[in-house]
mmCIF file of all heavy atoms in Angstrom:
data_model
loop_
_atom_site.group_PDB
_atom_site.id
_atom_site.type_symbol
_atom_site.label_atom_id
_atom_site.label_comp_id
_atom_site.label_asym_id
_atom_site.label_seq_id
_atom_site.Cartn_x
_atom_site.Cartn_y
_atom_site.Cartn_z
ATOM 1 N N GLY Z 17 5.052 4.782 -5.297
ATOM 2 C CA GLY Z 17 4.867 4.810 -6.730
ATOM 3 C C GLY Z 17 3.512 4.476 -7.169
ATOM 4 O O GLY Z 17 3.316 3.974 -8.279
ATOM 5 N N ILE Z 18 2.503 4.673 -6.257
ATOM 6 C CA ILE Z 18 1.137 4.326 -6.604
ATOM 7 C C ILE Z 18 0.360 5.623 -6.939
ATOM 8 O O ILE Z 18 0.245 6.527 -6.189
ATOM 9 C CB ILE Z 18 0.390 3.670 -5.395
ATOM 10 C CG1 ILE Z 18 1.068 2.374 -4.930
ATOM 11 C CG2 ILE Z 18 -1.030 3.376 -5.781
ATOM 12 C CD1 ILE Z 18 0.483 1.687 -3.703
ATOM 13 N N ASP Z 19 -0.091 5.671 -8.217
ATOM 14 C CA ASP Z 19 -0.899 6.797 -8.686
ATOM 15 C C ASP Z 19 -2.336 6.457 -8.329
ATOM 16 O O ASP Z 19 -3.020 5.565 -8.961
ATOM 17 C CB ASP Z 19 -0.766 6.918 -10.213
ATOM 18 C CG ASP Z 19 -1.430 8.142 -10.733
ATOM 19 O OD1 ASP Z 19 -2.268 8.738 -9.997
ATOM 20 O OD2 ASP Z 19 -1.105 8.576 -11.866
ATOM 21 N N VAL Z 20 -2.886 7.201 -7.356
ATOM 22 C CA VAL Z 20 -4.253 6.911 -6.892
ATOM 23 C C VAL Z 20 -5.353 7.113 -8.037
ATOM 24 O O VAL Z 20 -6.373 6.633 -7.884
ATOM 25 C CB VAL Z 20 -4.677 7.773 -5.725
ATOM 26 C CG1 VAL Z 20 -3.742 7.472 -4.493
ATOM 27 C CG2 VAL Z 20 -4.553 9.258 -6.052
ATOM 28 N N ARG Z 21 -4.970 7.797 -9.017
ATOM 29 C CA ARG Z 21 -5.937 8.037 -10.130
ATOM 30 C C ARG Z 21 -6.067 6.743 -11.018
ATOM 31 O O ARG Z 21 -6.997 6.559 -11.770
ATOM 32 C CB ARG Z 21 -5.483 9.144 -11.094
ATOM 33 C CG ARG Z 21 -5.420 10.499 -10.466
ATOM 34 C CD ARG Z 21 -4.748 11.597 -11.297
ATOM 35 N NE ARG Z 21 -3.277 11.091 -11.531
ATOM 36 C CZ ARG Z 21 -2.466 11.896 -12.270
ATOM 37 N NH1 ARG Z 21 -2.908 12.979 -12.802
ATOM 38 N NH2 ARG Z 21 -1.211 11.443 -12.454
ATOM 39 N N ASN Z 22 -5.157 5.737 -10.796
ATOM 40 C CA ASN Z 22 -5.201 4.598 -11.642
ATOM 41 C C ASN Z 22 -5.484 3.341 -10.759
ATOM 42 O O ASN Z 22 -5.191 2.236 -11.286
ATOM 43 C CB ASN Z 22 -3.774 4.355 -12.308
ATOM 44 C CG ASN Z 22 -3.546 5.400 -13.417
ATOM 45 O OD1 ASN Z 22 -4.521 5.835 -14.057
ATOM 46 N ND2 ASN Z 22 -2.321 5.772 -13.583
ATOM 47 N N LEU Z 23 -6.028 3.462 -9.597
ATOM 48 C CA LEU Z 23 -6.311 2.261 -8.760
ATOM 49 C C LEU Z 23 -7.311 1.314 -9.314
ATOM 50 O O LEU Z 23 -7.329 0.163 -8.992
ATOM 51 C CB LEU Z 23 -6.706 2.772 -7.376
ATOM 52 C CG LEU Z 23 -5.630 3.413 -6.508
ATOM 53 C CD1 LEU Z 23 -6.259 3.760 -5.146
ATOM 54 C CD2 LEU Z 23 -4.410 2.507 -6.382
ATOM 55 N N SER Z 24 -8.185 1.781 -10.328
ATOM 56 C CA SER Z 24 -9.158 0.917 -10.920
ATOM 57 C C SER Z 24 -8.601 0.194 -12.131
ATOM 58 O O SER Z 24 -9.313 -0.565 -12.733
ATOM 59 C CB SER Z 24 -10.362 1.695 -11.279
ATOM 60 O OG SER Z 24 -10.050 2.701 -12.197
ATOM 61 N N ASN Z 25 -7.306 0.532 -12.468
ATOM 62 C CA ASN Z 25 -6.703 -0.095 -13.632
ATOM 63 C C ASN Z 25 -6.270 -1.495 -13.294
ATOM 64 O O ASN Z 25 -5.300 -1.683 -12.505
ATOM 65 C CB ASN Z 25 -5.574 0.785 -14.130
ATOM 66 C CG ASN Z 25 -4.865 0.219 -15.361
ATOM 67 O OD1 ASN Z 25 -5.172 -0.879 -15.834
ATOM 68 N ND2 ASN Z 25 -3.956 0.949 -15.876
ATOM 69 N N PRO Z 26 -6.785 -2.590 -13.933
ATOM 70 C CA PRO Z 26 -6.449 -3.894 -13.549
ATOM 71 C C PRO Z 26 -5.005 -4.284 -13.943
ATOM 72 O O PRO Z 26 -4.421 -5.238 -13.459
ATOM 73 C CB PRO Z 26 -7.376 -4.768 -14.303
ATOM 74 C CG PRO Z 26 -7.827 -3.942 -15.467
ATOM 75 C CD PRO Z 26 -7.792 -2.526 -14.954
ATOM 76 N N ASP Z 27 -4.351 -3.411 -14.758
ATOM 77 C CA ASP Z 27 -2.977 -3.725 -15.245
ATOM 78 C C ASP Z 27 -1.954 -3.055 -14.294
ATOM 79 O O ASP Z 27 -0.784 -3.203 -14.507
ATOM 80 C CB ASP Z 27 -2.835 -3.166 -16.622
ATOM 81 C CG ASP Z 27 -3.614 -3.997 -17.634
ATOM 82 O OD1 ASP Z 27 -3.833 -5.184 -17.438
ATOM 83 O OD2 ASP Z 27 -4.111 -3.360 -18.615
ATOM 84 N N MET Z 28 -2.389 -2.309 -13.326
ATOM 85 C CA MET Z 28 -1.527 -1.556 -12.459
ATOM 86 C C MET Z 28 -1.032 -2.508 -11.302
ATOM 87 O O MET Z 28 -1.868 -2.984 -10.555
ATOM 88 C CB MET Z 28 -2.097 -0.328 -11.852
ATOM 89 C CG MET Z 28 -1.136 0.517 -11.059
ATOM 90 S SD MET Z 28 -1.947 2.042 -10.482
ATOM 91 C CE MET Z 28 -0.608 2.731 -9.453
ATOM 92 N N ARG Z 29 0.266 -2.809 -11.317
ATOM 93 C CA ARG Z 29 0.776 -3.754 -10.329
ATOM 94 C C ARG Z 29 2.055 -3.219 -9.676
ATOM 95 O O ARG Z 29 2.709 -2.349 -10.325
ATOM 96 C CB ARG Z 29 1.045 -5.138 -10.996
ATOM 97 C CG ARG Z 29 -0.144 -5.723 -11.697
ATOM 98 C CD ARG Z 29 0.050 -7.054 -12.270
ATOM 99 N NE ARG Z 29 0.045 -8.051 -11.249
ATOM 100 C CZ ARG Z 29 -0.962 -8.665 -10.648
ATOM 101 N NH1 ARG Z 29 -2.208 -8.289 -11.047
ATOM 102 N NH2 ARG Z 29 -0.843 -9.564 -9.697
ATOM 103 N N LEU Z 30 2.435 -3.764 -8.553
ATOM 104 C CA LEU Z 30 3.652 -3.380 -7.911
ATOM 105 C C LEU Z 30 4.487 -4.693 -7.636
ATOM 106 O O LEU Z 30 3.945 -5.739 -7.519
ATOM 107 C CB LEU Z 30 3.440 -2.667 -6.582
ATOM 108 C CG LEU Z 30 2.850 -1.281 -6.564
ATOM 109 C CD1 LEU Z 30 2.772 -0.767 -5.133
ATOM 110 C CD2 LEU Z 30 3.656 -0.324 -7.419
ATOM 111 N N SER Z 31 5.811 -4.480 -7.582
ATOM 112 C CA SER Z 31 6.675 -5.607 -7.194
ATOM 113 C C SER Z 31 6.429 -5.872 -5.712
ATOM 114 O O SER Z 31 5.926 -5.069 -4.973
ATOM 115 C CB SER Z 31 8.107 -5.228 -7.433
ATOM 116 O OG SER Z 31 8.551 -4.227 -6.461
ATOM 117 N N GLY Z 32 6.927 -7.097 -5.333
ATOM 118 C CA GLY Z 32 6.826 -7.455 -3.906
ATOM 119 C C GLY Z 32 7.507 -6.500 -3.020
ATOM 120 O O GLY Z 32 7.000 -6.185 -1.895
ATOM 121 N N HIS Z 33 8.692 -6.025 -3.407
ATOM 122 C CA HIS Z 33 9.398 -5.036 -2.600
ATOM 123 C C HIS Z 33 8.617 -3.723 -2.411
ATOM 124 O O HIS Z 33 8.509 -3.290 -1.303
ATOM 125 C CB HIS Z 33 10.763 -4.764 -3.228
ATOM 126 C CG HIS Z 33 11.571 -3.675 -2.465
ATOM 127 N ND1 HIS Z 33 12.204 -3.931 -1.283
ATOM 128 C CD2 HIS Z 33 11.795 -2.421 -2.779
ATOM 129 C CE1 HIS Z 33 12.691 -2.706 -0.876
ATOM 130 N NE2 HIS Z 33 12.528 -1.828 -1.788
ATOM 131 N N GLN Z 34 8.086 -3.242 -3.507
ATOM 132 C CA GLN Z 34 7.302 -1.964 -3.410
ATOM 133 C C GLN Z 34 6.029 -2.181 -2.585
ATOM 134 O O GLN Z 34 5.653 -1.335 -1.767
ATOM 135 C CB GLN Z 34 6.873 -1.510 -4.823
ATOM 136 C CG GLN Z 34 7.989 -1.000 -5.715
ATOM 137 C CD GLN Z 34 7.532 -0.838 -7.097
ATOM 138 O OE1 GLN Z 34 7.086 -1.701 -7.793
ATOM 139 N NE2 GLN Z 34 7.591 0.451 -7.537
ATOM 140 N N TRP Z 35 5.402 -3.375 -2.760
ATOM 141 C CA TRP Z 35 4.171 -3.659 -2.017
ATOM 142 C C TRP Z 35 4.421 -3.738 -0.561
ATOM 143 O O TRP Z 35 3.688 -3.226 0.284
ATOM 144 C CB TRP Z 35 3.580 -4.919 -2.622
ATOM 145 C CG TRP Z 35 2.069 -5.224 -2.300
ATOM 146 C CD1 TRP Z 35 1.597 -6.428 -1.840
ATOM 147 C CD2 TRP Z 35 0.959 -4.396 -2.435
ATOM 148 N NE1 TRP Z 35 0.266 -6.304 -1.742
ATOM 149 C CE2 TRP Z 35 -0.175 -5.107 -2.095
ATOM 150 C CE3 TRP Z 35 0.822 -3.052 -2.859
ATOM 151 C CZ2 TRP Z 35 -1.432 -4.580 -2.099
ATOM 152 C CZ3 TRP Z 35 -0.432 -2.521 -2.901
ATOM 153 C CH2 TRP Z 35 -1.554 -3.265 -2.560
ATOM 154 N N GLY Z 36 5.462 -4.347 -0.190
ATOM 155 C CA GLY Z 36 5.852 -4.517 1.204
ATOM 156 C C GLY Z 36 6.191 -3.151 1.826
ATOM 157 O O GLY Z 36 5.794 -2.868 2.972
ATOM 158 N N GLU Z 37 6.914 -2.353 1.044
ATOM 159 C CA GLU Z 37 7.310 -1.029 1.620
ATOM 160 C C GLU Z 37 6.104 -0.135 1.656
ATOM 161 O O GLU Z 37 5.990 0.642 2.632
ATOM 162 C CB GLU Z 37 8.331 -0.373 0.655
ATOM 163 C CG GLU Z 37 9.706 -0.999 0.681
ATOM 164 C CD GLU Z 37 10.292 -0.993 2.121
ATOM 165 O OE1 GLU Z 37 10.386 0.090 2.702
ATOM 166 O OE2 GLU Z 37 10.600 -2.067 2.695
ATOM 167 N N PHE Z 38 5.129 -0.264 0.824
ATOM 168 C CA PHE Z 38 3.861 0.492 0.918
ATOM 169 C C PHE Z 38 3.118 0.154 2.249
ATOM 170 O O PHE Z 38 2.805 1.035 2.988
ATOM 171 C CB PHE Z 38 2.951 0.180 -0.238
ATOM 172 C CG PHE Z 38 1.536 0.612 -0.090
ATOM 173 C CD1 PHE Z 38 1.206 1.986 -0.094
ATOM 174 C CD2 PHE Z 38 0.547 -0.313 0.222
ATOM 175 C CE1 PHE Z 38 -0.110 2.411 0.139
ATOM 176 C CE2 PHE Z 38 -0.756 0.092 0.412
ATOM 177 C CZ PHE Z 38 -1.133 1.458 0.375
ATOM 178 N N TRP Z 39 2.982 -1.110 2.541
ATOM 179 C CA TRP Z 39 2.270 -1.534 3.744
ATOM 180 C C TRP Z 39 3.123 -1.122 5.014
ATOM 181 O O TRP Z 39 2.546 -0.732 6.055
ATOM 182 C CB TRP Z 39 1.930 -3.014 3.692
ATOM 183 C CG TRP Z 39 0.826 -3.240 2.798
ATOM 184 C CD1 TRP Z 39 0.890 -3.833 1.585
ATOM 185 C CD2 TRP Z 39 -0.605 -2.931 3.014
ATOM 186 N NE1 TRP Z 39 -0.395 -3.877 0.976
ATOM 187 C CE2 TRP Z 39 -1.307 -3.364 1.842
ATOM 188 C CE3 TRP Z 39 -1.297 -2.353 4.030
ATOM 189 C CZ2 TRP Z 39 -2.632 -3.212 1.691
ATOM 190 C CZ3 TRP Z 39 -2.687 -2.195 3.880
ATOM 191 C CH2 TRP Z 39 -3.349 -2.618 2.743
ATOM 192 N N ARG Z 40 4.384 -1.172 4.950
ATOM 193 C CA ARG Z 40 5.230 -0.668 6.072
ATOM 194 C C ARG Z 40 4.995 0.743 6.318
ATOM 195 O O ARG Z 40 4.818 1.243 7.478
ATOM 196 C CB ARG Z 40 6.704 -0.911 5.766
ATOM 197 C CG ARG Z 40 7.178 -2.375 5.866
ATOM 198 C CD ARG Z 40 8.751 -2.410 5.494
ATOM 199 N NE ARG Z 40 9.274 -3.707 5.257
ATOM 200 C CZ ARG Z 40 9.733 -4.464 6.260
ATOM 201 N NH1 ARG Z 40 9.830 -4.057 7.429
ATOM 202 N NH2 ARG Z 40 10.273 -5.688 5.928
ATOM 203 N N ALA Z 41 4.918 1.521 5.203
ATOM 204 C CA ALA Z 41 4.666 2.953 5.324
ATOM 205 C C ALA Z 41 3.301 3.230 5.930
ATOM 206 O O ALA Z 41 3.130 4.099 6.742
ATOM 207 C CB ALA Z 41 4.771 3.684 4.019
ATOM 208 N N CYS Z 42 2.264 2.473 5.524
ATOM 209 C CA CYS Z 42 0.972 2.588 6.139
ATOM 210 C C CYS Z 42 0.920 2.327 7.666
ATOM 211 O O CYS Z 42 0.336 3.023 8.441
ATOM 212 C CB CYS Z 42 0.001 1.676 5.473
ATOM 213 S SG CYS Z 42 -0.446 2.062 3.800
ATOM 214 N N ILE Z 43 1.685 1.339 8.053
ATOM 215 C CA ILE Z 43 1.845 0.905 9.428
ATOM 216 C C ILE Z 43 2.519 1.982 10.281
ATOM 217 O O ILE Z 43 2.088 2.408 11.317
ATOM 218 C CB ILE Z 43 2.528 -0.432 9.640
ATOM 219 C CG1 ILE Z 43 1.629 -1.581 9.120
ATOM 220 C CG2 ILE Z 43 2.989 -0.688 11.081
ATOM 221 C CD1 ILE Z 43 2.333 -2.912 9.002
ATOM 222 N N GLU Z 44 3.510 2.559 9.631
ATOM 223 C CA GLU Z 44 4.274 3.579 10.343
ATOM 224 C C GLU Z 44 3.416 4.888 10.449
ATOM 225 O O GLU Z 44 3.359 5.501 11.502
ATOM 226 C CB GLU Z 44 5.567 3.950 9.568
ATOM 227 C CG GLU Z 44 6.415 5.044 10.197
ATOM 228 C CD GLU Z 44 7.703 5.295 9.393
ATOM 229 O OE1 GLU Z 44 8.039 4.548 8.570
ATOM 230 O OE2 GLU Z 44 8.314 6.307 9.688
ATOM 231 N N GLU Z 45 2.692 5.240 9.344
ATOM 232 C CA GLU Z 45 1.844 6.445 9.416
ATOM 233 C C GLU Z 45 0.720 6.263 10.442
ATOM 234 O O GLU Z 45 0.321 7.208 11.117
ATOM 235 C CB GLU Z 45 1.294 6.693 8.017
ATOM 236 C CG GLU Z 45 0.499 7.980 7.859
ATOM 237 C CD GLU Z 45 1.332 9.230 8.069
ATOM 238 O OE1 GLU Z 45 2.545 9.132 7.860
ATOM 239 O OE2 GLU Z 45 0.750 10.326 8.368
ATOM 240 N N SER Z 46 0.178 5.058 10.457
ATOM 241 C CA SER Z 46 -1.003 4.846 11.393
ATOM 242 C C SER Z 46 -0.618 4.463 12.803
ATOM 243 O O SER Z 46 -1.421 4.457 13.723
ATOM 244 C CB SER Z 46 -1.858 3.672 10.838
ATOM 245 O OG SER Z 46 -1.120 2.461 10.798
ATOM 246 N N ASP Z 47 0.682 4.111 12.992
ATOM 247 C CA ASP Z 47 1.246 3.584 14.266
ATOM 248 C C ASP Z 47 0.421 2.351 14.733
ATOM 249 O O ASP Z 47 0.086 2.246 15.937
ATOM 250 C CB ASP Z 47 1.166 4.724 15.334
ATOM 251 C CG ASP Z 47 2.005 4.405 16.553
ATOM 252 O OD1 ASP Z 47 2.963 3.624 16.404
ATOM 253 O OD2 ASP Z 47 1.679 4.904 17.658
ATOM 254 N N ASP Z 48 0.079 1.545 13.798
ATOM 255 C CA ASP Z 48 -0.705 0.333 14.111
ATOM 256 C C ASP Z 48 -0.108 -0.864 13.402
ATOM 257 O O ASP Z 48 -0.287 -1.015 12.164
ATOM 258 C CB ASP Z 48 -2.134 0.565 13.722
ATOM 259 C CG ASP Z 48 -3.029 -0.608 14.045
ATOM 260 O OD1 ASP Z 48 -2.584 -1.559 14.605
ATOM 261 O OD2 ASP Z 48 -4.265 -0.546 13.719
ATOM 262 N N PRO Z 49 0.496 -1.762 14.062
ATOM 263 C CA PRO Z 49 1.150 -2.954 13.408
ATOM 264 C C PRO Z 49 0.071 -3.858 12.814
ATOM 265 O O PRO Z 49 0.350 -4.678 11.878
ATOM 266 C CB PRO Z 49 1.845 -3.671 14.554
ATOM 267 C CG PRO Z 49 1.258 -3.193 15.813
ATOM 268 C CD PRO Z 49 0.809 -1.795 15.525
ATOM 269 N N LEU Z 50 -1.202 -3.790 13.245
ATOM 270 C CA LEU Z 50 -2.294 -4.463 12.607
ATOM 271 C C LEU Z 50 -3.215 -3.479 11.768
ATOM 272 O O LEU Z 50 -4.389 -3.575 11.790
ATOM 273 C CB LEU Z 50 -3.146 -5.229 13.642
ATOM 274 C CG LEU Z 50 -2.450 -6.414 14.304
ATOM 275 C CD1 LEU Z 50 -3.340 -6.999 15.333
ATOM 276 C CD2 LEU Z 50 -2.091 -7.437 13.209
ATOM 277 N N PHE Z 51 -2.539 -2.682 11.032
ATOM 278 C CA PHE Z 51 -3.234 -1.707 10.129
ATOM 279 C C PHE Z 51 -4.198 -2.373 9.262
ATOM 280 O O PHE Z 51 -5.241 -1.780 8.837
ATOM 281 C CB PHE Z 51 -2.235 -0.853 9.420
ATOM 282 C CG PHE Z 51 -2.899 0.132 8.405
ATOM 283 C CD1 PHE Z 51 -3.569 1.301 8.895
ATOM 284 C CD2 PHE Z 51 -2.870 -0.088 7.087
ATOM 285 C CE1 PHE Z 51 -4.154 2.105 8.038
ATOM 286 C CE2 PHE Z 51 -3.447 0.717 6.168
ATOM 287 C CZ PHE Z 51 -4.125 1.886 6.683
ATOM 288 N N ALA Z 52 -3.900 -3.591 8.781
ATOM 289 C CA ALA Z 52 -4.775 -4.326 7.932
ATOM 290 C C ALA Z 52 -6.171 -4.454 8.494
ATOM 291 O O ALA Z 52 -7.136 -4.516 7.696
ATOM 292 C CB ALA Z 52 -4.200 -5.684 7.582
ATOM 293 N N LEU Z 53 -6.342 -4.541 9.818
ATOM 294 C CA LEU Z 53 -7.642 -4.556 10.387
ATOM 295 C C LEU Z 53 -8.408 -3.294 10.210
ATOM 296 O O LEU Z 53 -9.642 -3.253 10.110
ATOM 297 C CB LEU Z 53 -7.530 -4.917 11.849
ATOM 298 C CG LEU Z 53 -6.946 -6.295 12.247
ATOM 299 C CD1 LEU Z 53 -6.871 -6.487 13.779
ATOM 300 C CD2 LEU Z 53 -7.719 -7.355 11.542
ATOM 301 N N GLN Z 54 -7.738 -2.158 10.204
ATOM 302 C CA GLN Z 54 -8.397 -0.906 9.839
ATOM 303 C C GLN Z 54 -8.705 -0.839 8.434
ATOM 304 O O GLN Z 54 -9.826 -0.461 8.045
ATOM 305 C CB GLN Z 54 -7.463 0.274 10.179
ATOM 306 C CG GLN Z 54 -7.135 0.499 11.738
ATOM 307 C CD GLN Z 54 -6.401 1.828 11.882
ATOM 308 O OE1 GLN Z 54 -6.702 2.848 11.361
ATOM 309 N NE2 GLN Z 54 -5.303 1.715 12.637
ATOM 310 N N ALA Z 55 -7.779 -1.253 7.582
ATOM 311 C CA ALA Z 55 -7.998 -1.097 6.074
ATOM 312 C C ALA Z 55 -9.191 -1.990 5.663
ATOM 313 O O ALA Z 55 -9.988 -1.496 4.841
ATOM 314 C CB ALA Z 55 -6.719 -1.425 5.434
#
């Protein structure tokens, strides 16, 4: 549910559940459990 066109909007926020699912999806897509080190 992240609109990349609005990433600079300081009012754009996600719930903890959405935020966790986003990072899980990044890890799955990258196949890297430490994807944060890449990001």
Side-chain angles (χ1 to χ4, degrees):
I18 301 176
D19 185 343
V20 296
R21 298 170 298 180
N22 290 329
L23 290 182
S24 61
N25 181 352
D27 296 324
M28 186 177 178
R29 306 185 72 83
L30 289 183
S31 70
H33 174 74
Q34 290 173 300
W35 197 227
E37 289 303 303
F38 165 72
W39 286 105
R40 286 180 192 269
C42 288
I43 288 170
E44 182 177 348
E45 184 67 22
S46 65
D47 194 28
D48 182 1
L50 288 178
F51 175 74
L53 295 181
Q54 293 187 47

